Amino acid sequence: MKLSASSLNLFLKCPYAYYLKEIEKVQPEFTEDRVFTGKLVHKTLENYFTFRKDNPDENPSLLDFLDDAYKELRDNLSNSIQTLNFKDDAVEMLKQYEATARTLQPLETEKEFELEIDDIRITGYIDLITKDRKVIDFKTTNSTNIKVSTEYKLQLSIYALTNQGNSYYLHYITPIKTQEIQVKPMKQTLLLQILNQFKNVYLGGGFTPSGITHPYACQSCAYKHRCVFFQKFIKEG
């Protein structure tokens, strides 16, 4: 059984959505422009901190790495969406994060990890590990109401199992401000219980469509176009 933090969060939101994505391999239904800004900011930060790691005596601007990141992502798009406006959004976010980025001393960027827990193989990437062993995950948002969601706490709790850091942070990057929030990982006993529940459902095949009891979950689901339960729910409504 293979699992990532994002797929575990999807399972907890709706096991049937997990089934569609991970077992049936249904492609998500959303336009690439919806996530382009976030990907661009992340790629720019990855390139910036990789350079800083290899050149510790230099401290260039984040924006120096934007154009190459933009070209790399733009060339890989599968359609001809207009991305310049999303690049402009990324510029504003990077400007807001500039001062924070300069204070960080990178040890690892996009650190790949793999864990084996009770026949479950958990894989993923950590955005940044600093020399003082801070594990940092970048989040881009236009929201002004910033708080730690359960799914983000679960994500950092999985990172904590890797023993790569001694403190864990979310860095929310918006066009008007940057906010750093330290997250205390959940107890390992609770996380192991969640993983055990996932294993039981996976082996038993009980992928129930729990999202339909919360219509907002279905409305935002990228797999609803292939969900027979959601389609029937809509017709009956």
Side-chain angles (χ1 to χ4, degrees):
M1 283 172 284
K2 185 179 178 181
L3 192 63
S4 67
S6 59
S7 61
L8 178 57
N9 274 313
L10 181 61
F11 169 81
L12 294 174
K13 184 180 295 182
C14 179
Y16 191 70
Y18 169 89
Y19 169 81
L20 291 174
K21 178 180 184 291
E22 300 295 340
I23 298 178
E24 291 295 324
K25 304 300 180 183
V26 171
Q27 292 299 308
E29 185 182 57
F30 55 75
T31 58
E32 290 172 303
D33 57 358
R34 175 179 163 187
V35 296
F36 186 82
T37 299
K39 286 185 175 181
L40 180 55
V41 171
H42 273 77
K43 188 62 182 176
T44 301
L45 291 174
E46 177 189 347
N47 294 348
Y48 167 80
F49 284 117
T50 298
F51 177 87
R52 289 270 316 282
K53 181 182 70 171
D54 297 335
N55 302 273
D57 295 329
E58 299 187 42
N59 203 344
S61 170
L62 278 176
L63 295 179
D64 292 342
F65 297 84
L66 177 63
D67 285 342
D68 285 346
Y70 176 79
K71 185 178 187 303
E72 180 179 344
L73 293 179
R74 187 68 184 84
D75 289 348
N76 290 330
L77 288 179
S78 60
N79 56 42
S80 58
I81 67 169
Q82 297 299 312
T83 57
L84 285 178
N85 289 340
F86 301 103
K87 183 180 180 181
D88 292 341
D89 291 342
V91 167
E92 295 306 312
M93 290 181 175
L94 292 168
K95 285 180 178 178
Q96 290 298 325
Y97 195 63
E98 179 87 47
T100 300
R102 288 180 179 274
T103 67
L104 302 173
Q105 298 298 319
L107 177 67
E108 298 282 355
T109 60
E110 288 296 305
K111 173 68 174 178
E112 185 176 10
F113 68 86
E114 181 174 317
L115 301 167
E116 189 79 28
I117 300 176
D118 195 20
D119 297 327
I120 302 174
R121 186 161 63 95
I122 305 175
T123 61
Y125 294 86
I126 298 172
D127 286 344
L128 179 66
I129 304 173
T130 63
K131 289 183 178 179
D132 54 353
R133 293 293 176 177
K134 289 183 177 179
V135 169
I136 298 173
D137 195 70
F138 305 122
K139 302 298 181 186
T140 57
T141 179
N142 288 314
S143 174
T144 57
N145 182 26
I146 294 176
K147 59 182 180 179
V148 179
S149 68
T150 303
E151 62 181 311
Y152 292 162
K153 183 167 184 175
L154 179 63
Q155 180 180 354
L156 288 176
S157 297
I158 289 176
Y159 293 171
L161 294 177
T162 68
N163 296 317
Q164 294 290 323
N166 53 33
S167 57
Y168 302 85
Y169 295 84
L170 290 170
H171 282 194
Y172 286 94
I173 307 171
T174 83
I176 60 173
K177 67 177 181 179
T178 291
Q179 185 167 335
E180 178 185 77
I181 300 178
Q182 184 171 2
V183 177
K184 182 180 179 181
M186 66 177 62
K187 293 181 178 179
Q188 287 192 11
T189 53
L190 175 58
L191 183 54
L192 292 176
Q193 286 177 344
I194 293 172
L195 292 172
N196 186 60
Q197 177 65 18
F198 164 78
K199 180 180 177 180
N200 290 338
V201 171
Y202 189 96
L203 294 176
F207 297 102
T208 56
S210 59
I212 61 175
T213 61
H214 303 282
Y216 64 85
C218 286
Q219 291 297 336
S220 62
C221 180
Y223 306 94
K224 63 183 179 183
H225 62 295
R226 289 286 300 277
C227 177
V228 294
F229 301 99
F230 176 73
Q231 298 304 325
K232 289 179 179 178
F233 180 77
I234 291 297
K235 288 180 181 179
E236 292 180 3

